[in-house]
Amino acid sequence: VDEHRWFKHRVRVRYQETDQMGVVYHTNYLNWCELGRTELIRELGYPYRDIEAKGLILPVVEAELKYRLPARYDDEIEIYTRVSSYTNVRMEFCYEIRRVHQSETSIANASAGVLGVRPAGDLLVDGLTRHVWVNQAWKPARMNKELPELLKLLSEKS
Amino acid sequence: VDEHRWFKHRVRVRYQETDQMGVVYHTNYLNWCELGRTELIRELGYPYRDIEAKGLILPVVEAELKYRLPARYDDEIEIYTRVSSYTNVRMEFCYEIRRVHQSETSIANASAGVLGVRPAGDLLVDGLTRHVWVNQAWKPARMNKELPELLKLLSEKS
Amino acid sequence: VDEHRWFKHRVRVRYQETDQMGVVYHTNYLNWCELGRTELIRELGYPYRDIEAKGLILPVVEAELKYRLPARYDDEIEIYTRVSSYTNVRMEFCYEIRRVHQSETSIANASAGVLGVRPAGDLLVDGLTRHVWVNQAWKPARMNKELPELLKLLSEKS
Amino acid sequence: VDEHRWFKHRVRVRYQETDQMGVVYHTNYLNWCELGRTELIRELGYPYRDIEAKGLILPVVEAELKYRLPARYDDEIEIYTRVSSYTNVRMEFCYEIRRVHQSETSIANASAGVLGVRPAGDLLVDGLTRHVWVNQAWKPARMNKELPELLKLLSEKS
C-alpha cells in the first residue's frame, strides 16, 4: 500500500449520529465513506457535482466495513480515502476512519484535506466500496468515452 | 376540531432514530409527519407517488413542532394527521404524535390506518406543516387546474 | 440454505430515504438490515429492547452488502433475515432485500412477519452482518451465561 | 436585532441530505440548526459535550422553521445562530440558513466560525428552537445552580 495516495477529510461527530448505546450508529460510517470519496474526487480536480451534471452517476455496488472501535459524540474524525483500483467501467475506494488524538487536534487540522498523507490516529472502521459508472438511464458507461478528463486525473494523481 | 377527520398510521421507533439521550432524536418527528401525510393522501385515494408522476410536488414552506414527551426505542407510535386547511395553491396539515398504551397495542393495531379516528395515547409531539403546490421547475401550480381529482377527494373526505 | 429459517418484514420506502439519483440512498439498506434482525429476534420471543434492559448489547463488527437493483420511493420492500451462524460470543445474520411485485402486494402482506418463508420478489440487495455480544462497559459477554433463554430460542427456532 | 451576536458555521450539503426532488430533504435544516447551536456554545467556551458530562441536557421543546429557497447538493451553506433569549430554566436560539455566493466562497471561508457577524448570502431557511434545561432524570434544572459558568459566558458574550 502506497500511503501517499491517501486523502484525508475531517468531520466532527454530530449528535444526530449517536444512538442510545452512546456511540455513533453504525450506518453513519458508510455516509462518512461517501464524504471521503466526494472530497477526494474534488481534490483530484473534478467535483462529483460536475460529473452528475454531465449525466454520469457512480452508484455503489458493493460495500464492506469492519468496525473496530466506536466513535463518540463530538469526536474529531478523519476519513482517509484512496482509489484502490479502477478500470473504464469500475472504481474501488478504500477507507480508514480514525479518531484524532486530542493532543494532535490543531496540528492535524492544519493538514486536513490534503492528498498524500499517512493515516494516523485510532483506527475505528476500515472498509471499501465498489462502484460502476452508469448514465442517467442506469446503463453502463465508460470513463474513457464519457469522462476522459477524470481518467487522466486518476492516472496522474491517485 | 372535528376528530373524525384524523387519520392514524402506526410506526415503531427504530434504533437509528434514538440518540445518546436515550430518546428519539428530535428531527425524526418531522420525518414521521411526512409519513403521516403521505399515508393520509394515499388513504384519500391519490398516492403522492402518482402526484409526482404528474409533475407536481408539495414542498414544505413552514413547520412548527411542540415537544411534550420523548419517544423511546421500540415504542409503538401513532401518527395522527389531518388536513387542517387548503386552497388551490396551499395545504396545511396538523399532526399529533402519540405513544400507544401497552395494554391497547393489539386492539389499536386492528384499526391502524383508518380515516376518522379520535386521537388516543400519550401525546408526545404536536405540530403543523404548511405547503405550496409547485411544478418541477418550482413554479406555483394550482390544484384545480393540475389535480382536480385530488381537490374533489379533499372536499369529500377530509 | 434452509429457506424455512428466513423471516420477512415489510417496509415501504420513505421519501427521506431517496436521494437525488431518484433511488434509495445506499446506506438505508443497512438500516433495513437492522430492522430485519430486530423483528426476527422479536419473533423468536426475546425483543432486543429486553436484551438491552439486561445490560447486553450486540454491536455490528462487520457488514457486507451487494447492491443489485435500486429501490425507489414508495416501493414495498421485504427484508428477509436469517441467523446464519452463532456461538456464545458471536452472531451472524444474512439478509435479502427484495421488492414486492405489485400483483402480489395484498397476498404477500397477509403473510408478512412470519418465520419460515421462501424469499420472493426482485432481489435488490443482499448481505450479512457480524456481531459480538458485549456488556455496557463494552467488554465481551457470553450468551450461555447472560442470555441462556435467547440461546435456547435460537437453537430451537432459527 | 444586534447582528454582532450571530455566530456562523459552514457546512457543505451531503449527498445523503438530498431527496428525489433534487433538493435537500426538509428535516435536514433542523439538524443544521443543532450544529449551529452546538458550535455557538463551543465558541462561547463551554462545549455541549462537557455540559452533558455534568449531567445536564437541553432538549428541544419547540421548533419553528420557514423554508424560503431550497439548498442543493454540494452547496456551501452557512448556519447563522444566535441566542435570542434565556432564563435560568429556558433557552431560545434563532437561525438563518444561507447559501454562500460562489464568488465569496473563499473569502467567507476565512471568517467561518466567528462570533459577531452580519448574515450574508441567499436566505434559505430561518427559524427558532426553544429548549429547557433538565437533568438525566428529565427533571427541570436551573442554570444558575448547575451551570453558573455557562450563565456567565452567556451574559458576557451572547
Side-chain angles (χ1 to χ4, degrees):
Chain A
V1 174
D2 176 2
E3 75 278 354
H4 292 290
R5 299 185 301 175
W6 286 103
F7 172 76
K8 85 173 163 181
H9 177 66
R10 177 79 58 97
V11 293
R12 193 186 276 276
V13 175
R14 300 176 175 189
Y15 208 92
Q16 183 223 357
E17 293 169 328
T18 62
D19 65 25
Q20 70 176 26
M21 276 189 210
V23 299
V24 168
Y25 185 69
H26 67 287
T27 65
N28 290 298
Y29 299 93
L30 198 49
N31 286 333
W32 294 348
C33 291
E34 157 128 23
L35 291 186
R37 67 178 178 272
T38 299
E39 296 305 322
L40 167 56
I41 291 176
R42 187 193 314 283
E43 178 71 19
L44 289 178
Y46 208 135
Y48 185 69
R49 182 187 223 170
D50 298 349
I51 293 172
E52 285 211 353
K54 291 196 72 168
L56 278 274
I57 51 183
L58 187 63
V60 178
V61 294
E62 221 172 321
E64 294 178 19
L65 293 175
K66 285 199 168 63
Y67 299 82
R68 298 171 192 285
L69 285 172
R72 293 175 191 278
Y73 170 59
D74 214 41
D75 280 350
E76 287 194 273
I77 300 297
E78 270 165 354
I79 308 162
Y80 290 90
T81 312
R82 80 189 168 86
V83 179
S84 41
S85 74
Y86 64 93
T87 67
N88 279 321
V89 296
R90 292 184 155 270
M91 290 198 71
E92 186 186 280
F93 295 86
C94 283
Y95 309 92
E96 289 189 12
I97 300 194
R98 291 173 174 270
R99 178 168 30 225
V100 179
H101 290 292
Q102 206 60 24
S103 61
E104 294 167 15
T105 299
S106 44
I107 303 166
N109 197 30
S111 59
V114 174
L115 194 60
V117 291
R118 187 185 298 269
D122 297 323
L123 180 61
L124 307 181
V125 171
D126 56 345
L128 61 83
T129 58
R130 296 193 180 95
H131 304 255
V132 291
W133 287 106
V134 298
N135 61 25
Q136 299 216 318
W138 287 76
K139 299 292 174 197
R142 296 182 67 85
M143 247 199 300
N144 51 347
K145 283 196 179 168
E146 312 275 3
L147 286 171
E149 314 89 325
L150 180 61
L151 189 59
K152 188 158 177 289
L153 291 167
L154 282 168
S155 68
E156 290 169 4
K157 296 193 186 179
S158 76
Chain B
V1 174
D2 175 3
E3 75 278 356
H4 293 290
R5 299 184 301 175
W6 286 103
F7 172 75
K8 85 173 163 182
H9 178 65
R10 177 78 59 96
V11 294
R12 194 186 276 276
V13 175
R14 299 176 175 189
Y15 208 92
Q16 182 223 358
E17 293 169 330
T18 63
D19 65 26
Q20 70 175 26
M21 276 188 208
V23 299
V24 167
Y25 185 70
H26 67 287
T27 64
N28 291 297
Y29 299 93
L30 198 49
N31 286 333
W32 294 348
C33 291
E34 158 129 22
L35 290 186
R37 66 180 179 270
T38 300
E39 295 304 323
L40 167 56
I41 291 176
R42 188 193 314 284
E43 178 71 19
L44 289 179
Y46 209 137
Y48 185 70
R49 181 186 223 171
D50 298 348
I51 292 172
E52 285 210 353
K54 291 197 72 168
L56 279 274
I57 51 183
L58 187 63
V60 178
V61 294
E62 220 172 323
E64 294 178 20
L65 292 175
K66 285 198 168 64
Y67 299 82
R68 299 172 190 285
L69 286 172
R72 291 173 191 278
Y73 171 59
D74 215 42
D75 280 351
E76 288 194 272
I77 299 297
E78 270 164 355
I79 308 161
Y80 291 90
T81 312
R82 81 189 166 85
V83 179
S84 40
S85 73
Y86 64 92
T87 66
N88 280 320
V89 295
R90 292 185 155 268
M91 289 197 71
E92 185 186 281
F93 295 86
C94 283
Y95 308 92
E96 289 189 12
I97 299 190
R98 290 171 175 271
R99 176 166 34 225
V100 179
H101 290 290
Q102 206 60 22
S103 61
E104 295 167 16
T105 300
S106 43
I107 303 167
N109 197 30
S111 59
V114 174
L115 193 62
V117 291
R118 186 186 297 270
D122 298 323
L123 180 60
L124 307 181
V125 171
D126 55 345
L128 61 84
T129 58
R130 296 193 180 96
H131 304 255
V132 291
W133 287 106
V134 297
N135 62 24
Q136 299 215 317
W138 286 76
K139 298 293 174 196
R142 296 182 68 85
M143 247 200 298
N144 52 345
K145 283 196 180 169
E146 312 275 1
L147 286 171
E149 314 88 326
L150 179 61
L151 189 59
K152 188 158 176 291
L153 291 167
L154 282 169
S155 69
E156 289 169 3
K157 294 193 185 177
S158 77
Chain C
V1 175
D2 175 2
E3 75 279 354
H4 293 291
R5 300 186 301 175
W6 286 102
F7 173 75
K8 86 172 163 182
H9 178 64
R10 177 79 59 95
V11 293
R12 195 186 275 277
V13 175
R14 300 176 174 188
Y15 207 92
Q16 183 223 356
E17 292 169 330
T18 63
D19 65 26
Q20 69 176 26
M21 277 188 207
V23 299
V24 167
Y25 185 70
H26 68 287
T27 63
N28 291 297
Y29 298 92
L30 198 49
N31 285 333
W32 294 348
C33 290
E34 157 127 24
L35 291 187
R37 67 179 177 271
T38 299
E39 296 304 323
L40 167 56
I41 291 175
R42 188 194 312 284
E43 178 71 19
L44 288 179
Y46 209 137
Y48 185 69
R49 181 186 225 171
D50 298 350
I51 292 172
E52 285 210 352
K54 291 197 72 168
L56 279 274
I57 52 183
L58 187 63
V60 178
V61 293
E62 219 172 323
E64 295 178 21
L65 292 175
K66 285 197 166 65
Y67 299 82
R68 300 172 190 284
L69 285 172
R72 292 174 191 277
Y73 170 60
D74 215 40
D75 280 351
E76 288 194 272
I77 299 297
E78 270 164 355
I79 307 161
Y80 290 90
T81 311
R82 81 189 166 86
V83 179
S84 41
S85 72
Y86 63 92
T87 66
N88 280 321
V89 295
R90 292 184 154 269
M91 290 198 70
E92 185 186 281
F93 296 87
C94 283
Y95 309 92
E96 289 189 12
I97 299 191
R98 292 172 174 270
R99 177 166 32 224
V100 179
H101 291 291
Q102 206 60 24
S103 61
E104 293 166 17
T105 300
S106 43
I107 303 167
N109 197 29
S111 60
V114 174
L115 194 60
V117 291
R118 187 186 298 270
D122 298 323
L123 180 61
L124 307 181
V125 171
D126 56 344
L128 61 83
T129 58
R130 295 194 181 96
H131 304 254
V132 291
W133 287 106
V134 298
N135 62 24
Q136 300 216 317
W138 287 75
K139 298 292 174 198
R142 297 183 66 86
M143 245 199 300
N144 52 346
K145 282 196 181 170
E146 312 275 3
L147 287 170
E149 313 88 325
L150 179 60
L151 189 60
K152 189 158 176 287
L153 291 167
L154 282 169
S155 69
E156 290 169 3
K157 295 193 187 178
S158 76
Chain D
V1 175
D2 175 3
E3 75 277 356
H4 292 291
R5 300 184 301 174
W6 286 101
F7 172 76
K8 85 174 163 181
H9 177 65
R10 177 77 60 95
V11 293
R12 195 186 275 276
V13 175
R14 300 176 174 188
Y15 207 92
Q16 182 222 359
E17 293 169 329
T18 63
D19 65 26
Q20 69 175 25
M21 277 188 209
V23 299
V24 167
Y25 185 70
H26 67 287
T27 63
N28 290 297
Y29 299 93
L30 198 48
N31 286 333
W32 294 348
C33 291
E34 157 126 24
L35 291 186
R37 68 179 177 271
T38 300
E39 296 304 324
L40 167 56
I41 291 176
R42 187 192 315 283
E43 178 71 19
L44 288 179
Y46 208 136
Y48 185 69
R49 183 187 224 172
D50 297 350
I51 292 172
E52 285 210 353
K54 291 197 72 169
L56 278 273
I57 52 183
L58 189 62
V60 178
V61 293
E62 220 172 322
E64 294 178 20
L65 293 176
K66 285 199 167 63
Y67 299 82
R68 300 172 190 284
L69 285 172
R72 292 175 191 278
Y73 171 59
D74 215 41
D75 280 351
E76 287 193 275
I77 299 298
E78 270 164 355
I79 308 162
Y80 290 91
T81 311
R82 81 190 166 84
V83 179
S84 40
S85 73
Y86 64 92
T87 66
N88 279 320
V89 294
R90 293 185 153 267
M91 290 198 70
E92 185 188 279
F93 296 86
C94 283
Y95 309 91
E96 289 189 13
I97 300 194
R98 291 172 174 270
R99 178 167 32 226
V100 179
H101 291 292
Q102 207 59 23
S103 61
E104 294 167 17
T105 300
S106 44
I107 304 167
N109 197 30
S111 59
V114 174
L115 194 60
V117 291
R118 186 184 298 270
D122 298 323
L123 179 60
L124 307 182
V125 171
D126 56 345
L128 61 84
T129 59
R130 295 194 180 96
H131 304 254
V132 290
W133 287 106
V134 297
N135 62 24
Q136 300 215 319
W138 287 75
K139 298 293 173 195
R142 296 182 66 86
M143 248 201 297
N144 52 345
K145 283 196 180 169
E146 312 276 1
L147 286 170
E149 313 88 327
L150 179 61
L151 189 59
K152 188 159 177 290
L153 291 168
L154 282 169
S155 69
E156 290 169 4
K157 295 193 187 178
S158 75

